[in-house]
Each structure stands twice: as C-alpha cells, then as structure tokens.
C-alpha cells in the first residue's frame, strides 16, 4: 500500500482514532487546500453528491471544494486511484446530462522506459465509470491490448473527515466529535464518526466483484485495510475484467439497506430513465442551434439534479458544492425562472417554504412570525447549535418573493387547489410585511441582524461588502435595499389581484394603496438624477448608498417605476460602465468600490441578468433583453457543458477572448440554470393568464444565431401547447402547431 494516501491508520476494532484533519497537518480549517485549479466533475442524486477532479479522484486530501457529501457532511475527503506503471493518462473525461461520468485512461509503456521496445505505447485501457443512485458507484474496467498475458494492479485510497460544510468553508470549531477506527471486512470497510450532535455518521465502502468480463481475465482483492484496497488483475490479450466500489453514506445510525450487487449498466439505465422521466414532464425545446438545444437540456437536467428531499418533501437546492440545501430566496427565484420549463419547481418551493414559515420572535435565528426562511441546514454544526440554520431566517426579500411567486404560479397553472392551500401562508407573509418589515416606521422595508452569527447583509448580495457606497465604504444597517422595495410593490399588487379574484375587495384596495405609496417612496428616496439610476439602498442614517449597481434592474422586473425612468435604467444597464460585454455587472466599473474579481461588486450573475432582462421586456425594451441573452450565451459557450455558473468575473470582454471564471462559483447552480428560461420568456414575450385560458405573446424576438425555436408541450393551466417561432423578414413569426389538455387562446401582439 502507498503509505501516504490514507488518513486512517488500519487499526482493527472500533475504538476512537485521531482527527483526520490533525493527521493531515492542518492547524485549522482555513489551511485546507483548495482545488480551484482542478477541472471538476459533479455527480448528484437527491441529497448525495460528489465533486471530484476530472480523473474521478477526490484529491488533494481534504480539499475544500471536493468530496462526497450527504446533507451538509463530507463522507469522503480522499478517494484516489493509483495504477501500476502510472500515473495514468486521461484520454477523456465527461459527465452526461443524466449525471453518469465516463473517464477513459491509459497507461503508457514510456513510464517503463520502453521507448524503443515492441510493446505499444498505450498498452492498458482503463475505463472509470461513476454514478450516484442510493450510493456512489465507481467502476473500473481494464482491458489489455498487449499481445501477451499481463499481471496488473490498481489501488484506491480513501479517507473520511466527516467535516461539516461550514467547517470546510473555514469555520473554526473549538472541538469536534470522536472518530472511530476503521472496521475492515473481506470485501469492504466501515469508517465512522460520532458527532457533537450525538448522531453517528458512517461511510461504508464495499467492493462488488471483482469479476471477469470476457475470456479468462480475472480480478481479485489482493489487499484491503482502513485506508484503501489493491485489486489485482490477470488479463490475456484483448481480455477485460472489472472491479466496482460502492460507497454508502449513513447518518443518525440509519444503515443503508443491504442489497445484492447490481451491474453498473443496470444502474446507469435506471439513472437515465429517471432523468428522461423528469424531462418528459417539462417543456421540450427544439431549435435550429444545436448548442442552444444542448444548453437547455442541461439546464432541465440540472434542475432535477439540484433537487433535495427534506422532511419528506422535494425542493430545489441552491447550488453545488456549498449550497446543496434549501434556500428561500434561491428556490423562489429559480421557481419563477423555471415556469417556462415546468411549474413543479415553483410548486415545490412554495409548499416547502410555507411549512417552515416563521412562527415566533427568535432573534437568535432572525425569526419573526410570517417570515419565509433563508437557509436550512442539517449537518452536525446546525443540529449541535453551533450555527443558527435550523432554519435561519435572515433574508429580507424571501417573504415578498414568496408572494410574487405564488401569484405567478397561479397565472401559469390556474392551480386553485394549491393556491388556496397556500393562502394562509400568504396572509401570514403579508402580516410580516405589515408588522415587522419596517423596523423604524419610515415606510421602507429594512434589515438588521438579531444575532452576531447571522448575516450582516440580507438581500441577495449578502456578502459582508455587498452593499457599498461608490467610495467602497460598506453601508451600515439597518439597510433598506432598493430592489426589496420593488419586490414589495409587486407582491402587494399581485396579492390585490388574487384577493379580487377570490372576492376580497377591501383587502385588495388596501394592498393597492400600500403598493402605490411604496412607488412614491422609491422615487422620492432612491432616484439619483445625476447618475440616471436608483441608489442601491438607504443606510441607517437615511442616506442614499450611491453606488451604481445592477439592483435597479430588479425594479424593472417588479414593474415598480414609471416608463421614462425605466428606459434610463435599462439603457444604463447595457452601456458602460455596467455592461461587461458578457453581461450586466453587479456594480459599475470606474467606481472605487468596483472589483470585477469580487463576489458582488463587479462580477456578472446570470440570474441577476435574467431578472433585469425580463424587466426590460415588461417595459417593451426587447432589444435590450436580446443583448443580455446574447452576451450570456456567448459566455456560456466557454463553460463546461454550456452551463452558466453561479457567477463569473466582470472583466471587459474586449480585454480578452474568454470570460474569466470566478474561483469558487457553484456549478451547477439553481438560479443560474433557471436563467435560460426567464431569458427566453423575455425575448419571446410570453406572459400567461391561465385562469382566463390565455397566453399572451408580446413582440417576440429570436436570439441571434437562432432561426427557429419550437416549444413543445408548454404548460398553461391544463393545456399543453406547441409554439413554433420562426425568423422572417422584419421579425418573428409565431404559430401554434398543437394544443391538447384544455382550452387556450394564444394572443399575439407584435406591437409590444
């Protein structure tokens, strides 16, 4: 065995062992290595996911952004392949849209000094296939291409640090739980940990097979201990044999159900079938640009992959690897974005978040009655009370966005049963806006954390420096963000419409008056005439936070401002200093606060761009929305799988040929995946009114490079429609080519 590759000593029994973090020599979590320069493969199914290097390995050991994770706990912190004659050469490394990876490697005779020998340069083919179903499955299939029999071996090394996701991200913990010595069996190993939350965590590794695939080739477990295993192979010419490792993550003492080994091919077919089933419920996109088709198919798959299940209910999580848990704001915005593809993401988000709505005044979690939660965690640090995320409610915008999505979901589905079931939650959310959102009675909705463990900033730009003055000085809370005032305008107007539909005229009148009063306050308090846009916020001293940012684009999304100022905002977003060439920056260049490499002060966020583009389309500026789409599409073609990441750097496009990656951006990430569908809605001018069996199409426009786009099975209420958009001289022609499931009137307005 390679003595440097394991973290656990191969001691027998089940007694406690040293902390693997200490064995690695990291004095504190901030010293863990970062694998940011490694091209990553991501596999996920429900709550279990793997982030690995392109070789399929989790290495270097303990790297922050790699591992096998289950519900906020890392169950593999090291998983590394060594081969005889290696290191192997990677021929290709791919992940399919149904989240099955295929990594092809070879071993070259050049490593053995056979440059002038008779053996072929590449003499062993090693295919490594990985997927996740009830566990991680890692299959190795070796084929011998030398014209004589060979004896060969591979080794797989492993370790589990059982680190909490907050710990991996740098949280310092005064103490940790107890590691158990590995238990070694003839065909596997059990790694264990008892947390400070009194729960038991385990990683169970089993070797299925090994087995012969063709001819007389054979494979067997030559050696196994707590740190890894060696598999030996004997292969004749052209013969192949395989070994399969299955890893189960177990928590709270619940052991993974015992099941007989299953062929990898059967597992892969089941995974593919599950993703096909999901895609079959969604709108199908078929266009003249094959790359765009692929990007949309990947986004559909990612929405399914990002789904987690907690309390027995599914909900989309925010992103891999850091945010694979329910987030209120992220789930609600993703649900809104994804309505063109499927209303199910929105429905799940609304039901899940309503069940966790705030019930009490609890400053330790920033909880207030009626408030929609921000983030829910399930790892050791949360259940042991080290972080307040059980759930944590520090989000100023999730509650109005809940109301916005409820109405939009109704407009697309006419699902009166779900809407009526959620009305009590909506009324509690309105009550929170009335009683708690305005902290000082000035008519603005503002935030200030109630616990030192909470977030300093509680809008979507929630980093510590996410709300700066133009000078770069951070605003001090209580802070009233401009986009949140717009969300409230939108929420009150939408709820007024719902109440009128349900016969609540008096409450509808009250909400419309509240919305109009907020519109007036936005104009009076936030507009900056000299800069032609709105301030990002009002700070604790009631001063405008004067940075020029993307936040006013969300006022367009909320339709909270008049047409003339909306035009000026829209123009500013696609002109220097806000426009990078790849998309709208979060903060404009040329200001001291600008940093295109920061998290929120000059980068490009796809969801932010999509919401602004939708707002531009609402005001009739479809050309502006098209420019946003085309900038992001140009960027996406430089990212793996044509997948938009959470964010990327805001450097000018003319300064280089490629968009610049942000080092720790989540990918896939929910509202980045959903952004494509909202961008298409903006360009195609689609607005649903399912209660009245109507779909409006306002001034449709196809993206550059796309001559035809077909939406098959678009859901509007009970109806499923197929719409065909075709580029013609002078515009875009729309035809309804199929309709089933219910009545639907498609009204096309080319005047906008």
């Amino acid at each position: 065995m390679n003595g440097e590759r394991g973290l656990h000593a191969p001691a027998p029994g089940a007694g406690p062992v040293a902390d693997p973090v200490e064995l690695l020599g990291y004095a504190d979590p901030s010293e863990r290595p970062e694998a940011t320069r490694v091209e990553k493969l991501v596999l996920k199914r429900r709550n279990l996911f793997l982030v690995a290097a392109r070789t399929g390995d989790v290495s270097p050991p303990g790297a922050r952004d790699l591992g096998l994770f289950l519900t906020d706990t890392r169950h593999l912190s090291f998983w590394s392949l060594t081969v005889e004659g290696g290191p192997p050469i990677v021929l290709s490394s791919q992940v399919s849209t149904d989240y099955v990876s295929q990594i092809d490697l070879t071993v070259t005779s050049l490593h053995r000094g056979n440059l002038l020998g008779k053996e072929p340069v590449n003499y062993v083919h090693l295919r490594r296939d990985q997927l996740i179903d009830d566990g991680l499955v890692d299959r190795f299939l070796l084929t011998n291409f030398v014209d004589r029999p060979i004896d060969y071996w591979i080794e797989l090394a492993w370790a589990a640090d059982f680190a909490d996701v907050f710990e991996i991200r740098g949280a310092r913990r005064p103490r940790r739980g107890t590691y158990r010595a590995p238990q070694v069996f003839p065909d596997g190993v059990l790694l264990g940990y008892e947390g400070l939350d009194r729960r038991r965590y385990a990683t169970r590794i089993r070797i299925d097979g090994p087995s012969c695939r063709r001819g007389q080739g054979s494979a067997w477990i030559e050696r196994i201990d707590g740190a890894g295993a060696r598999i030996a192979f004997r292969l004749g010419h052209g013969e192949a044999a395989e070994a399969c490792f299955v890893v189960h993550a177990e928590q709270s003492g619940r052991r993974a159900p015992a099941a007989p080994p299953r062929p990898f091919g059967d597992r892969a077919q089941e995974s593919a079938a599950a993703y096909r089933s999901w895609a079959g419920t969604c709108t199908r996109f078929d266009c003249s640009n094959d790359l765009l088709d692929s990007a949309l198919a990947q986004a559909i798959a990612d929405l399914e992959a990002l789904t987690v299940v907690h309390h027995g209910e599914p909900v989309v999580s925010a992103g891999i690897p850091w945010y694979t848990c329910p987030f209120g704001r992220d789930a609600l915005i993703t649900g809104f974005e994804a309505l063109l593809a499927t209303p199910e993401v929105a429905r799940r988000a609304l039901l899940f978040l309503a069940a966790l709505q705030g019930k009490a005044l609890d400053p330790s979690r920033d909880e207030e009655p009626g408030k929609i939660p921000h983030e829910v965690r399930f790892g050791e640090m949360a259940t042991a009370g080290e972080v307040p995320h059980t759930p944590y409610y520090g989000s100023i915008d999730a509650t109005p966005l809940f109301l916005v999505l409820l109405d939009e979901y109704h407009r697309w589905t006419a699902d009166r049963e779900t809407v009526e079931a959620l009305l009590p939650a909506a009324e509690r959310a309105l009550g929170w806006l009335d009683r708690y959102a305005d902290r000082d009675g000035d008519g603005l909705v503002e935030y200030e954390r109630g616990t030192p463990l909470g977030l300093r900033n509680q809008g979507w730009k929630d980093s510590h420096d996410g709300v700066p003055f133009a000078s770069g000085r951070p605003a001090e809370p209580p802070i009233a963000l401009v986009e949140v005032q717009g969300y409230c305008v939108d929420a009150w107007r939408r709820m007024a419409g719902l109440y009128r539909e349900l016969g609540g005229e008096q409450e509808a009148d009250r909400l419309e008056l509240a919305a109009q009063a907020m519109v007036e306050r936005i104009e009076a308090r936030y507009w900056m005439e000299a800069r032609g846009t709105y301030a990002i916020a009002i700070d604790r001293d009631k001063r405008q936070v004067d940075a020029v940012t993307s936040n006013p684009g969300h006022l367009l999304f909320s339709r909270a401002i008049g047409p003339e100022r909306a035009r000026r905002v829209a123009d500013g977003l696609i002109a220097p200093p806000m426009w990078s060439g790849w998309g709208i920056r979060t903060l404009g260049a040329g200001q001291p606060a600008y940093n295109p490499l920061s998290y929120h002060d000059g980068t490009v966020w796809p969801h932010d761009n999509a919401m602004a583009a939708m707002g531009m389309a609402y005001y009739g500026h479809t050309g502006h929305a098209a420019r946003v789409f085309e900038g992001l599409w140009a960027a996406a073609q430089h990212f793996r799988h044509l997948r938009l990441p959470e964010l990327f750097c805001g450097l000018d496009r003319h300064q280089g040929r490629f968009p610049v990656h942000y080092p720790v951006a989540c990918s896939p990430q929910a509202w980045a995946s959903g952004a494509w569908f909202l961008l298409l809605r903006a360009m195609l001018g689609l607005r649903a009114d399912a209660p009245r069996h109507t779909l409006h199409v306002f001034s449709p426009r196809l993206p550059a490079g796309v001559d035809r786009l077909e939406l098959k099975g678009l859901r509007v209420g009970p109806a499923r429609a197929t719409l065909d958009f075709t580029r013609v001289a002078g515009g875009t022609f729309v035809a309804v080519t199929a309709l089933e499931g219910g009545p639907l009137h498609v009204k096309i307005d080319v005047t906008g």
Side-chain angles (χ1 to χ4, degrees):
M1 282 294 201
N2 182 339
E4 296 180 352
R5 59 193 172 77
L7 301 188
H8 291 285
V17 297
D19 186 333
V21 178
E22 295 175 3
L23 291 174
L24 282 169
Y26 307 145
D28 63 65
S30 65
E31 296 183 5
R32 294 175 186 270
E34 198 89 53
T36 53
R37 296 183 181 181
V38 174
E39 185 181 354
K40 300 179 183 69
L41 299 180
V42 174
L43 302 175
K44 185 175 180 300
R45 191 75 179 275
R46 290 301 185 250
N47 298 10
L48 184 67
F49 69 94
L50 173 75
V51 183
R54 68 190 295 259
T55 59
D57 286 352
V58 174
S59 183
R64 293 174 191 258
D65 42 355
L66 300 178
L68 179 71
F69 297 81
L70 176 67
T71 1
D72 298 329
T73 300
R74 181 158 61 184
H75 282 259
L76 282 177
S77 51
F78 187 42
W79 186 252
S80 183
L81 173 69
T82 303
V83 303
E84 182 180 0
I89 296 171
V90 178
L91 301 173
S92 67
S93 177
Q94 301 292 335
V95 176
S96 64
T97 53
D98 53 348
Y99 281 76
V100 177
S101 72
Q102 177 182 309
I103 305 151
D104 287 277
L105 309 111
T106 187
V107 180
T108 173
S109 58
L110 298 180
H111 286 106
R112 296 187 169 186
N114 290 333
L115 180 61
L116 301 178
K118 296 181 180 180
E119 293 182 352
V121 172
N122 303 317
Y123 63 95
V124 172
H125 176 236
L126 171 57
R127 171 160 292 170
R128 184 178 195 176
D129 297 308
Q130 296 176 317
L131 61 78
I132 285 178
D133 46 22
D134 55 338
L136 166 66
V137 185
D138 199 345
R139 179 184 70 165
F140 300 89
L141 175 63
L142 275 74
T143 306
N144 172 28
F145 289 104
V146 180
D147 61 358
R148 58 177 174 77
I150 63 169
D151 291 319
Y152 199 77
W153 58 261
I154 67 171
E155 289 184 351
L156 197 62
W158 52 66
D161 62 3
F162 298 103
D164 186 278
V165 68
F166 285 100
E167 183 180 7
I168 296 169
R169 291 168 60 192
R172 295 173 181 266
R173 303 182 69 189
R175 61 192 185 97
R176 302 191 83 244
T178 302
Y179 289 88
R180 313 304 299 182
Q183 298 181 49
V184 181
F185 308 99
D187 63 348
V189 169
L190 181 68
L191 309 177
Y193 171 74
E194 294 180 11
L196 297 180
D197 57 355
R198 300 183 179 180
R199 294 194 299 176
R200 293 183 178 181
Y201 299 81
T203 302
R204 189 178 300 274
I205 302 167
R206 186 184 76 239
I207 305 174
D208 286 347
S211 63
C212 175
R213 286 292 297 262
R214 292 189 297 273
Q216 300 302 310
S218 60
W220 61 94
I221 300 172
E222 183 174 278
R223 190 163 53 199
I224 185 169
D225 61 33
R230 173 179 282 196
I231 309 298
F233 295 84
R234 182 162 294 145
L235 301 171
H237 171 62
E239 290 183 343
E242 71 174 48
C244 192
F245 292 76
V246 181
V247 184
H248 286 106
E250 302 171 3
Q251 296 181 0
S252 302
R254 290 193 292 270
R255 179 173 176 174
R262 288 187 292 150
F264 186 92
D266 291 351
R267 292 176 181 266
Q269 289 178 11
E270 291 172 9
S271 178
Y275 278 94
R276 282 197 304 272
S277 177
W278 162 255
T281 68
C282 301
T283 304
R284 297 179 298 286
F285 299 89
D286 182 14
C287 78
S288 57
N289 186 318
D290 291 341
L291 286 178
L292 183 56
D293 271 348
S294 297
L296 296 174
Q298 184 67 62
I300 292 281
D302 288 346
L303 290 175
E304 168 64 5
L306 286 164
T307 299
V308 294
V309 178
H310 292 293
H311 311 301
E313 297 297 331
V315 64
V316 70
S317 62
I320 296 173
W322 308 120
Y323 307 119
T324 312
C325 66
F327 274 77
R329 174 193 307 119
D330 297 65
L332 294 164
I333 289 176
T334 304
F336 193 107
E337 292 176 320
L339 282 165
L340 185 69
T342 172
E344 192 60 23
V345 178
R347 180 178 175 275
R348 291 171 175 177
L350 291 165
L351 291 170
F352 187 92
L353 295 170
L356 296 177
Q357 195 171 21
K359 296 179 175 63
L361 283 169
D362 184 354
S364 70
R365 297 191 298 161
D366 283 335
E367 180 183 6
E368 292 161 338
K371 199 174 185 182
I372 296 298
H374 168 60
E375 180 179 358
V376 194
R377 292 288 185 172
F378 302 89
E380 179 189 2
M381 291 181 68
T383 54
E386 298 176 54
V387 294
H389 298 72
T390 57
Y392 173 61
Y393 290 83
S395 167
I396 193 62
D397 49 11
T399 308
L401 285 170
F402 178 89
L403 299 170
V404 169
L405 181 59
L406 178 64
D407 175 68
E408 191 71 6
Y409 173 79
H410 181 54
R411 295 186 186 201
W412 278 87
T413 65
D415 179 3
R416 188 156 181 154
E417 180 180 354
T418 298
V419 171
E420 289 182 347
L422 288 166
L423 274 179
E427 290 169 352
R428 290 191 292 270
L430 288 169
W432 178 81
L433 289 175
D434 290 340
R435 299 183 189 94
Y436 301 103
D438 180 2
R439 302 177 65 87
D440 57 11
D442 68 347
L444 299 179
V445 172
E446 58 250 324
Y447 62 83
E448 183 175 23
R449 64 184 175 185
T451 170
L453 296 176
L455 290 170
R456 184 182 189 276
N457 285 316
Q458 298 188 359
W460 81 263
K461 295 179 179 178
D462 57 4
S463 54
H464 73 282
D465 59 353
V467 187
F469 287 85
S471 66
R473 179 169 55 88
E476 294 297 329
I479 293 172
L481 293 167
V482 68
E483 76 272 17
V484 174
Q485 319 311 309
Y487 298 157
C488 291
V489 170
D490 198 13
W492 283 325
R493 286 174 174 168
R494 288 171 177 273
M495 288 305 299
L498 273 178
Y499 275 118
R500 291 202 191 284
E501 189 171 318
L502 299 173
E505 295 293 333
Q506 186 173 351
E507 182 65 5
D509 290 343
R510 184 187 75 82
L511 294 175
E512 286 176 348
L513 288 173
Q516 183 56 38
M518 182 64 85
V519 166
E520 294 168 3
R521 286 191 287 272
I522 292 170
E523 298 300 335
R525 303 290 298 277
Y526 290 87
W527 179 251
M528 301 186 296
E529 177 61 31
R531 303 191 181 198
T533 190
Y534 294 84
I536 183 176
I538 303 296
D539 77 348
R540 69 179 179 187
D541 297 319
K542 306 305 177 185
R543 295 172 299 184
Q544 288 184 343
V545 182
D546 62 348
V548 176
T549 68
S550 63
N551 298 56
H554 294 232
L555 293 178
L556 304 178
F557 173 80
S558 298
R559 291 169 283 189
I561 55 180
E564 177 54 30
R565 287 185 175 173
R567 180 191 60 77
R568 294 180 66 181
V569 168
D571 288 347
L573 291 173
I574 62 165
M578 290 300 298
W579 183 250
S580 74
W582 303 108
I584 300 166
R585 297 185 176 103
T586 48
L587 188 144
Q591 303 169 91
Y594 171 67
N595 178 357
L597 311 181
S598 69
Y599 196 52
H600 285 130
D601 295 331
T603 44
V604 175
W605 287 66
H607 89 280
D608 183 35
N609 278 250
M611 293 176 76
M614 190 71 236
M616 293 168 177
Y618 281 146
Y619 285 91
H621 304 301
T622 310
H624 290 48
R627 188 170 183 187
V628 175
F629 183 103
E630 289 156 9
L632 288 175
W633 175 236
Q637 292 174 71
H638 297 287
F639 291 110
R640 189 176 176 90
H641 303 303
L642 302 170
R643 177 190 281 147
L644 287 170
E646 176 187 15
L647 73 157
F648 54 92
C649 295
L651 297 165
D652 276 327
R653 186 173 178 178
H654 68 76
Q655 294 177 342
R657 297 181 179 181
F658 309 102
V660 178
H661 292 238
Y662 186 80
V664 291
C666 290
S667 183
Q669 201 258 5
W671 61 20
S673 296
W676 287 128
F677 307 112
L678 192 59
L679 287 163
L680 283 178
R681 273 181 64 186
M683 294 201 61
L684 300 179
L686 298 173
R687 301 175 209 171
D689 187 359
R692 293 165 184 79
H693 309 291
T694 301
L695 176 66
H696 297 275
V697 184
F698 292 99
S699 300
R701 177 173 181 152
L702 286 169
V706 177
D707 294 323
R708 184 189 60 81
L709 173 61
E710 186 179 48
L711 278 58
K712 300 179 180 179
L714 175 65
R715 291 169 63 179
V716 182
R720 287 257 191 182
T722 296
L723 276 66
D724 194 290
F725 295 82
T726 306
R727 189 183 303 278
V728 295
T732 299
F733 176 75
V734 188
V736 180
T737 59
L739 181 63
E740 59 183 26
L744 183 68
H745 179 44
V746 179
K747 297 182 67 173
I748 300 170
D749 183 352
V750 296
T751 66

